Amino acid sequence: MNPSTSSGNLGHRFEELFEFSLALDAPSVEMVYRIRHDVYCRELGWEAVRDDGLEMDEYDRHSVHCLLRKRGSGDLVGCSRLVLARPEQPSFPLPFELSCRDVIHRDQVDPAQMPRHDVGEVSRLAVMSEFRQRQGESDKPVSVGEQDFESRGGQPRFPFIPMSLYLGAAAAARHLNVENVFVLTEPRLASHFARLGFDIRPVGGEIEHRGIRVPSLLSSSKVVSNLRPLIKPLYAVIDKLVNSSFEAHPEALERLRPSSR
């Protein structure tokens, strides 16, 4: 990293280039579904292509979605979601509880024994192809710095976008008082995030789920405490925008906040 680069520039530069918000109204949620359809259905073939161009599932009705767009043009960049316990059926398993049923280290942590209002899962993270790392860079560590905003060979490189979407989901969890947030991710990506101070630790063995994945756990209240100084301004900006989203839609905060009853 250029030693002259100020850590505060990362958050400011992020705001200059991107618009981050929670998708708390119907038009925004539709944008999320369109990103997912473009990535999961048309590009990767992980889900069936749908006539309406929207990828959604049964977990979306009790999830809060993060939406990232390019500032100025409004181009869709990426999305993620935080799946919450079902209000009408709290014991209903989260997606990872089904796919990782046999590999969770229950002697360390057992999500089935946790208060269900205190458990969530980050999933359906998708980034449009033009904003992902260039071919040949997929095996490189996640790095964050001013150079990540530069164009290389005519192709912009924003490898920190997945982190911003994870941070957005974690910030949403904190605002919703959901402490224990699980994520099913590539071991390499989780390891890179941990090196950047992201409070994430594996809680189970590997599974095959569109590649090798491992279940991990983060505490939403501890996300910011160990982040490297370079990353904290990015989290501060995203947390501010999450708060603004909820302030603009107070009914959503009330609807989404899990009950402890």
Side-chain angles (χ1 to χ4, degrees), residues 18-33:
F18 299 107
E19 296 178 1
F20 178 93
S21 65
L22 298 183
L24 299 178
D25 55 43
S28 297
V29 171
E30 182 173 313
M31 291 180 194
V32 167
Y33 294 160

Side-chain angles (χ1 to χ4, degrees), residues 16-180:
E16 289 175 358
L17 290 172
F18 299 107
E19 296 178 1
F20 178 93
S21 65
L22 298 183
L24 299 178
D25 55 43
S28 297
V29 171
E30 182 173 313
M31 291 180 194
V32 167
Y33 294 160
R34 291 197 180 281
I35 293 172
R36 284 165 35 179
H37 188 270
D38 198 78
V39 175
Y40 281 76
C41 304
R42 289 201 176 101
E43 182 184 351
L44 300 176
W46 287 347
E47 302 288 346
V49 173
R50 307 183 188 189
D51 292 338
D52 60 6
L54 306 176
E55 194 281 313
M56 60 186 77
D57 64 21
E58 62 177 327
Y59 293 99
D60 286 315
R61 63 186 178 86
H62 50 96
S63 298
V64 56
H65 303 273
C66 299
L67 174 64
L68 193 62
R69 290 177 287 175
K70 189 174 181 180
R71 186 169 296 281
S73 68
D75 291 346
L76 301 177
V77 175
C79 63
S80 62
R81 72 177 176 187
L82 173 69
V83 183
L84 305 168
R86 295 187 177 189
E88 77 282 6
Q89 192 180 1
S91 62
F92 191 87
L94 298 175
F96 89 99
E97 291 182 275
L98 297 176
S99 59
C100 299
R101 180 188 296 113
D102 299 327
V103 300
I104 296 173
H105 296 157
R106 298 186 189 274
D107 58 330
Q108 298 178 13
V109 59
D110 187 353
Q113 300 302 315
M114 292 178 171
R116 297 305 287 182
H117 68 275
D118 207 26
V119 176
E121 178 183 355
V122 181
S123 70
R124 279 302 196 266
L125 187 143
V127 178
M128 301 292 279
S129 60
E130 58 266 37
F131 292 96
R132 292 205 297 273
Q133 291 179 320
R134 295 179 301 163
Q135 187 174 5
E137 293 185 334
S138 60
D139 61 341
K140 293 187 177 181
V142 174
S143 60
V144 184
E146 281 296 303
Q147 69 273 15
D148 296 323
F149 296 96
E150 298 172 355
S151 177
R152 299 186 180 184
Q155 176 64 36
R157 181 175 181 264
F158 301 125
F160 65 95
I161 284 176
M163 169 163 275
S164 71
L165 291 167
Y166 278 121
L167 288 173
R174 189 179 65 82
H175 283 268
L176 292 168
N177 298 324
V178 176
E179 176 67 11
N180 299 295

